[in-house]
Amino acid sequence: MSEKPRFNSKMSSDVFISFYWYKEELQKICREYQLPSYGTKAELTNYIVKFLDGVPVSSIKPVRKIRRSTSGNLKAEDINLNTKLLNSGFSLNNEARKFFEQYYKVPSFSFRKSMGIKMKEVERNADTNATVRDLIWALENSQVDLKHNKEEQTYQWNNFVRDFRLDISSKNYRTPMKVASILWKKVRDSNQEKKYSHKLMVNNSKLIEKYLK
């Protein structure tokens, strides 16, 4: 298992894509080399791959333009888990509060700090793929990997946790999310594929045995 190297312009694109990079890392690389620095992780990664493959910086154009968000005019009954956080009219207002009251079946709901952090992250990164489902994930999992809070929401992490929880062996642990976090960090900082497999649990059994029931 190789440790993730520091990025440099001599790195091959194959080496680059074999490691996990946080979105803020991708943005920093793009800014340093005058590449488009906004968009989704996939878009940012694509800009860097083109750069490493020898495409001139002047020829690497952004695939999207940042659009102004229409906020604050979406009604509670129109909000669902797939509602986009940008450009949909969604905002952390009374209508959103009503939606979360209905979703959690509580008489009153207060927005949490993690939700505000997530909204700012989405706006800062112009993440037009983020949805209300992602906002709920941020609320319910804000204790996971706080060191990298700005990137707590990645599709790779979500898929990793989903597949981990589908493994019947995950039920053998008192704190499955802690175990998932430990295993995720093993693949996150390596050149392994960023997916869960039962073999990963077996190979790291010594690291997680103290969490067995």
Side-chain angles (χ1 to χ4, degrees), residues 58-145:
S58 60
S59 298
I60 303 175
K61 306 297 183 182
V63 298
R64 71 174 70 216
K65 293 182 178 179
I66 298 179
R67 294 175 292 171
R68 292 183 64 85
S69 174
T70 302
S71 61
N73 56 9
L74 197 64
K75 298 298 182 183
E77 57 267 26
D78 298 321
I79 300 173
N80 59 61
L81 295 180
N82 295 318
T83 298
K84 301 290 188 180
L85 299 183
L86 289 185
N87 306 315
S88 68
F90 179 85
S91 181
L92 295 182
N93 57 15
N94 284 334
E95 293 302 317
R97 196 187 310 276
K98 291 177 185 177
F99 166 79
F100 287 114
E101 287 172 354
Q102 296 167 7
Y103 180 83
Y104 286 108
K105 295 179 172 57
V106 295
S108 63
F109 180 87
S110 298
F111 297 122
R112 308 300 199 278
K113 183 176 181 179
S114 60
M115 300 174 78
I117 290 173
K118 181 61 182 177
M119 287 297 294
K120 289 179 181 178
E121 174 194 331
V122 168
E123 292 168 0
R124 182 176 63 252
N125 296 331
D127 185 356
T128 56
N129 290 317
T131 65
V132 169
R133 190 188 306 275
D134 297 317
L135 191 61
I136 289 174
W137 193 98
L139 169 64
E140 296 181 351
N141 297 276
S142 59
Q143 78 278 12
V144 177
D145 202 9

Side-chain angles (χ1 to χ4, degrees), residues 5 32 34 57 70 75 92 96 112 140 150 154-155 169 212:
E32 181 176 352
Q34 289 78 53
V57 172
T70 302
K75 298 298 182 183
L92 295 182
R112 308 300 199 278
E140 296 181 351
K150 290 181 180 179
T154 67
Y155 292 115
S169 296
L212 286 168

Side-chain angles (χ1 to χ4, degrees), residues 12-49:
S12 72
S13 59
D14 287 339
V15 170
F16 170 73
I17 62 177
S18 72
F19 290 94
Y20 179 90
W21 302 86
Y22 285 103
K23 188 168 185 176
E24 62 183 6
E25 291 180 297
L26 299 177
Q27 289 176 314
K28 182 178 179 180
I29 293 169
C30 287
R31 285 192 291 267
E32 181 176 352
Y33 292 95
Q34 289 78 53
L35 300 170
S37 59
Y38 57 86
T40 65
K41 284 189 66 176
E43 290 165 354
L44 295 172
T45 298
N46 187 50
Y47 299 145
I48 297 171
V49 167

